[in-house]
Amino acid sequence: DAGITQSPRHKVTETGTPVTLRCHQTENHRYMYWYRQDPGHGLRLIHYSYGVKDTDKGEVSDGYSVSRSKTEDFLLTLESATSSQTSVYFCATSRDSLIGAFFGQGTRLTVV
Amino acid sequence: QQPVQSPQAVILREGEDAVINCSSSKALYSVHWYRQKHGEAPVFLMILLKGGEQKGHEKISASFNEKKQQSSLYLTASQLSYSGTYFCGTHGAGSYQLTFGKGTKLSVIP
């Protein structure tokens, strides 16, 4: 399995504050993804990256930004957290689009 | 746009078979299947590329009909360990996006 570490694993934050979640991988995978998981919605793609400094929006990108300055790190920032962004966030990585993706253990974010 | 999975949930007794379907309105290049246990991260099961191939993983296999943009996951002689939520993920042609459906919750009971 790929070495994927998400940090923090749990976070409680207040509405209106910025929050950054980190995904770190040790497998030199090219592709990295951020998803949020909510009951009834499955896994929804927020942003993804197909290389260093190459990122694009997914289906639920409003209120989120990302950065990837080096292969191993993919950061997700909630610019001004809202209660609707309370969710479990998963990072996933893949070496190639023809190969399956590996998921991190998730970050549970609560916005109060 | 998320692919559509059906059914949303299914309950099986050990030894019974099940089929989970995944369809997309977009032209697909590949279909992935994942299983997620409660409180854990999704785990990759298999990937199918366009060409209508069928793959197997233990007693779990899948097919991909690229003309219909549909994939099916077949679970035969189900075991208790098969319980979980199954997700299909799709790559569109020429796209780097990996987009998932809402999942199918499978419960296997003794």
Side-chain angles (χ1 to χ4, degrees):
Chain A
D1 286 348
I4 305 171
T5 304
Q6 291 186 230
S7 59
R9 293 292 312 281
H10 302 271
K11 186 171 182 65
V12 180
T13 192
E14 293 185 349
T15 298
T17 60
V19 177
T20 295
L21 308 183
R22 182 188 185 219
C23 178
H24 178 77
Q25 56 121 340
T26 60
E27 299 296 319
N28 201 35
H29 285 180
R30 177 185 176 188
Y31 301 91
M32 299 186 75
Y33 307 87
W34 275 109
Y35 296 92
R36 60 176 292 174
Q37 186 170 34
D38 306 286
H41 292 279
L43 293 158
R44 291 184 291 175
L45 181 63
I46 306 172
H47 281 278
Y48 62 100
S49 170
Y50 46 95
V52 174
K53 298 186 178 179
D54 290 322
T55 65
D56 207 346
K57 296 179 180 180
E59 52 198 314
V60 290
S61 60
D62 287 349
Y64 301 95
S65 62
V66 290
S67 67
R68 192 172 179 196
S69 58
K70 46 187 177 178
T71 300
E72 55 266 36
D73 288 327
F74 193 31
L75 304 180
L76 176 71
T77 297
L78 288 67
E79 295 141 9
S80 177
T82 67
S83 58
S84 64
Q85 293 176 312
T86 292
S87 185
V88 177
Y89 291 85
F90 284 102
C91 170
T93 75
S94 177
R95 179 167 60 85
D96 190 288
S97 60
L98 301 181
I99 298 173
F102 295 94
F103 281 78
Q105 290 306 300
T107 294
R108 183 173 294 277
L109 177 69
T110 303
V111 184
V112 298
Chain B
Q1 187 176 8
Q2 288 184 288
V4 178
Q5 287 185 234
S6 63
Q8 292 183 340
V10 59
I11 299 175
L12 299 175
R13 292 199 178 275
E14 276 187 291
E16 291 183 337
D17 302 338
V19 180
I20 300 172
N21 299 303
C22 174
S23 64
S24 174
S25 58
K26 295 183 176 182
L28 298 179
Y29 183 74
S30 66
V31 178
H32 301 219
W33 286 98
Y34 294 76
R35 176 171 63 205
Q36 184 180 31
K37 301 279 188 179
H38 182 69
E40 299 180 4
V43 174
F44 173 71
L45 293 176
M46 66 187 77
I47 183 172
L48 300 100
L49 306 179
K50 66 176 184 177
E53 65 179 288
Q54 184 155 348
K55 280 197 170 182
H57 177 79
E58 297 176 345
K59 293 181 181 178
I60 301 174
S61 61
S63 63
F64 177 24
N65 184 326
E66 66 176 281
K67 289 184 179 179
K68 294 185 177 181
Q69 309 306 323
Q70 292 177 349
S71 178
S72 295
L73 185 71
Y74 307 95
L75 300 101
T76 58
S78 59
Q79 306 169 16
L80 295 175
S81 62
Y82 287 1
S83 293
T85 300
Y86 289 78
F87 292 97
C88 71
T90 58
H91 266 296
S95 170
Y96 298 123
Q97 291 195 37
L98 177 57
T99 305
F100 287 89
K102 294 183 178 182
T104 296
K105 185 175 181 180
L106 178 75
S107 301
V108 181
I109 58 176

